[in-house]
Amino acid sequence: MESIWKKTAALPQFPTLEESVHTDVLIIGGGLSGLLTAYLLKEAGIRCLLVEAGRICSGTTHNTTAKITSQHGLIYHKLLRQGGRERAAAYLSANQQALAEYRRLAEGIDCAFTQADNVVYSLDDREKVLREAEALAELGFSAEYTEQTGLPFAVAAALRFPQQAHFQPLQFAAGIAQHLRIYENTPVHGIKLGQGSMTADCGRVKISAENIIIATHFPFINRRGGYFLKMYQMRSYLLALKNAAPVDAMYVDEADDGLTFRNYGDMLLFGGGGHRTGKQGMAWDELEAIARGWYPQLEVAARWANQDCITLDRIPYIGRYSPATPQLFVATGYNCWGISNSMAAALLLRDLLLGRENAAAQLFDPARSILKPQLLVNAAESTLNLLTPTTRRCPHLGCALKWNEAEQSWDCPCHGSRFTKAGKLINNPANHDWYKAPRA
Ligand SMILES: Cc1cc2nc3c(=O)[nH]c(=O)nc-3n(C[C@H](O)[C@H](O)[C@H](O)COP(=O)(O)OP(=O)(O)OC[C@H]3O[C@@H](n4cnc5c(N)ncnc54)[C@H](O)[C@@H]3O)c2cc1C
């Protein structure tokens, strides 16, 4: 189940932190969010260090599809109508700026960075695509409306963003990480909050810091910020296919459970089946059967799965962890678009630490209103799973775990923690194993 990225990249290794230290900024988590933030802070002359629980990029980042685009489904119409022009423009500009920063940083890194258009299509809702095209025109962005695509099936309508990009994310991360002060196999178990300096507890050693950035995918401090109320996780499945026709652009269905396509070398990366972690959906076998209908000669070179945090309003949480913790920051909730959004996060966090203005600060502020319909869905899901009688419970907040047949894992529908059959932790927010061996 190794991703094509892991099969085709070698990441540098870093030492474990062996003695307590002090730093100006501590970054917790060595995925793209943490690495990019550390890189931009270092460029800005800020002294920082990054700690990673395992090896860098061992979380969501190594299982991504690695498209770099500001087109995240059909979001601009909704953003414009519900949030207003300023917010919609801030989202677009933050992600276009992120794309430009990737272009700048990738120049010196051998990471298969390739310019490509991105296309979002709808199978059945032409009106929705037209509305999105109008919203983008209102924002001054020229996206091309079309009913023809290079896909092997018909669509109702599609919208094309020009000059976006894709890359090999781990080769890119390796190029970035080599410049940074990183400690691997150094998990943070908790943070002692205080005025002035804070202390991160890494077991035998402690790290004191003026500012701490939590870039752990799902944040691990429950008593501040209410992230366990504000987010759930969505899981999807991916295949790297040989002997399948390449696509002329990156493609994705606007529906959460739809399909995704991009090229990588001589392979087609194909996936889909998005569903709330802990629920049932399409997995590899179904996806392979669909692809085989178009490409009978295909060979599967790799298959893997991934999950990401979904927020109440589908906008990331980037900024101060909570109003009561002004020196504790967070970058999370990327809604399956965390390649560009993690760069947007790094840019915003750098500006916040430097006291600079950033047009996306308000949009991404984690303290914004939580009064959204998704809050009720999350609350209902948690209540149902807390009340489900079973001995297999998630150590995060006690929800009933559900068996994932495709991946042979125990998954939590409340917040997306996952465990092996034997109870070993695979995905956070739980931060330790669920030891009880399941009955056969
Ligand atoms: C199927 C799928 C496809 C996707 N494709 C795309 C795409 O094409 N384009 C796009 O923009 N986005 C995509 N995304 C989203 C994107 O991959 C993620 O949002 C992004 O990789 C998240 O990076 P991160 O650094 O925030 O998290 P992670 O990569 O998960 O990094 C967090 C790190 O923190 C570490 N950590 C956790 N707890 C601790 C602790 N207590 N102490 C120390 N370290 C800790 C973890 O080990 C991990 O390495 C996709 C998501 C999915 C689910």
Side-chain angles (χ1 to χ4, degrees):
M1 310 291 178
E2 242 186 18
S3 72
I4 198 67
W5 316 127
K6 277 199 95 171
K7 284 177 189 269
T8 57
L11 284 163
Q13 295 202 25
F14 297 91
T16 300
L17 185 63
E18 298 289 0
E19 55 185 34
S20 297
V21 287
H22 178 82
T23 181
D24 292 343
V25 180
L26 169 65
I27 297 163
I28 307 173
L32 266 184
S33 295
L35 293 173
L36 290 170
T37 304
Y39 190 88
L40 294 192
L41 291 186
K42 189 176 175 214
E43 266 191 343
I46 298 177
R47 195 167 63 115
C48 63
L49 75 83
L50 184 153
V51 288
E52 160 58 46
R55 298 282 318 281
I56 58 163
C57 294
S58 54
T60 314
T61 297
H62 80 275
N63 281 340
T64 181
T65 323
K67 300 174 182 172
I68 312 171
T69 176
S70 52
Q71 190 183 27
H72 300 166
L74 302 178
I75 53 162
Y76 290 103
H77 174 260
K78 194 173 152 207
L79 268 173
L80 198 61
R81 294 293 160 260
Q82 293 178 3
R85 193 189 155 78
E86 209 177 308
R87 282 161 65 84
Y91 192 95
L92 179 60
S93 144
N95 280 283
Q96 280 291 109
Q97 198 189 341
L99 173 62
E101 277 292 291
Y102 272 112
R103 205 167 271 134
R104 174 178 79 88
L105 297 184
E107 246 169 37
I109 303 173
D110 183 10
C111 61
F113 187 91
T114 308
Q115 187 161 293
D117 291 355
N118 191 68
V119 180
V120 174
Y121 65 86
S122 172
L123 289 176
D124 52 14
D125 197 340
R126 189 170 164 268
E127 290 307 311
K128 201 171 175 184
V129 180
L130 276 170
R131 281 199 301 271
E132 182 77 354
E134 280 162 20
L136 283 156
E138 226 175 300
L139 293 172
F141 186 84
S142 85
E144 185 201 337
Y145 174 86
T146 176
E147 291 175 13
Q148 306 300 321
T149 70
L151 292 170
F153 52 86
V155 305
L159 204 56
R160 184 179 279 257
F161 269 39
Q163 296 174 9
Q164 310 290 293
H166 54 68
F167 66 166
Q168 208 297 13
L170 299 192
Q171 286 174 352
F172 174 81
I176 291 291
Q178 62 176 331
H179 303 286
L180 303 174
R181 189 174 166 213
I182 295 174
Y183 294 98
E184 289 184 319
N185 301 305
T186 307
V188 173
H189 304 296
I191 296 174
K192 198 167 157 219
L193 301 168
Q195 298 296 326
S197 191
M198 290 171 286
T199 307
D201 171 12
C202 307
R204 236 169 14 87
V205 297
K206 314 267 179 262
I207 307 167
S208 59
E210 264 41 89
N211 295 284
I212 296 183
I213 295 170
I214 298 190
T216 55
H217 193 230
F218 207 117
F220 63 91
I221 298 176
N222 286 328
R223 67 202 149 88
R224 307 274 179 175
Y227 293 91
F228 62 92
L229 287 172
K230 300 198 287 200
M231 293 201 296
Y232 69 98
Q233 297 202 55
M234 191 192 289
R235 198 153 181 84
S236 310
Y237 296 81
L238 293 155
L239 297 165
L241 304 177
K242 289 197 165 172
N243 303 330
V247 277
D248 64 329
M250 304 180 282
Y251 285 94
V252 68
D253 192 326
E254 56 92 17
D256 280 345
D257 58 355
L259 302 176
T260 177
F261 301 76
R262 65 156 275 198
N263 300 326
Y264 174 57
D266 63 349
M267 285 175 273
L268 175 70
L269 307 191
F270 171 65
H275 59 82
R276 189 176 182 125
T277 303
K279 303 270 182 192
Q280 298 296 322
M282 241 188 338
W284 298 294
D285 290 351
E286 293 91 330
L287 286 165
E288 189 181 331
I290 293 173
R292 209 166 277 287
W294 304 315
Y295 321 113
Q297 309 300 326
L298 72 79
E299 253 176 68
V300 177
R303 61 183 209 168
W304 68 100
N306 203 15
Q307 64 184 36
D308 208 7
C309 300
I310 310 296
T311 62
L312 298 174
D313 53 6
R314 300 269 173 150
I315 298 170
Y317 299 125
I318 307 164
R320 294 203 159 76
Y321 199 90
S322 75
T325 52
Q327 287 152 286
L328 184 66
F329 298 84
V330 70
T332 188
Y334 296 144
N335 307 289
C336 297
W337 292 108
I339 301 298
S340 60
N341 270 320
S342 59
M343 183 67 92
L347 290 162
L348 172 53
L349 292 170
R350 178 200 63 191
D351 288 351
L352 287 174
L353 284 164
L354 289 173
R356 285 189 196 156
E357 289 286 310
N358 184 303
Q362 224 187 333
L363 171 75
F364 291 137
D365 185 355
R368 65 187 182 268
S369 170
I370 60 167
L371 298 176
K372 305 282 170 203
Q374 184 63 39
L375 183 65
L376 294 177
V377 180
N378 290 357
E381 194 64 53
S382 295
T383 309
L384 180 73
N385 286 290
L386 281 167
L387 296 177
T388 302
T390 173
T391 51
R392 300 179 179 98
R393 309 208 79 90
C394 180
H396 176 226
L397 291 175
C399 290
L401 297 173
K402 297 280 161 64
W403 180 241
N404 174 343
E405 183 61 33
E407 297 181 76
Q408 301 284 296
S409 59
W410 288 100
D411 299 357
C412 178
C414 292
H415 306 104
S417 300
R418 297 180 59 248
F419 306 85
T420 65
K421 196 171 186 178
K424 239 188 144 12
L425 180 66
I426 308 172
N427 289 108
N428 69 359
N431 61 4
H432 58 86
D433 297 343
W434 165 63
Y435 281 108
K436 227 173 197 175
R439 275 178 255 133

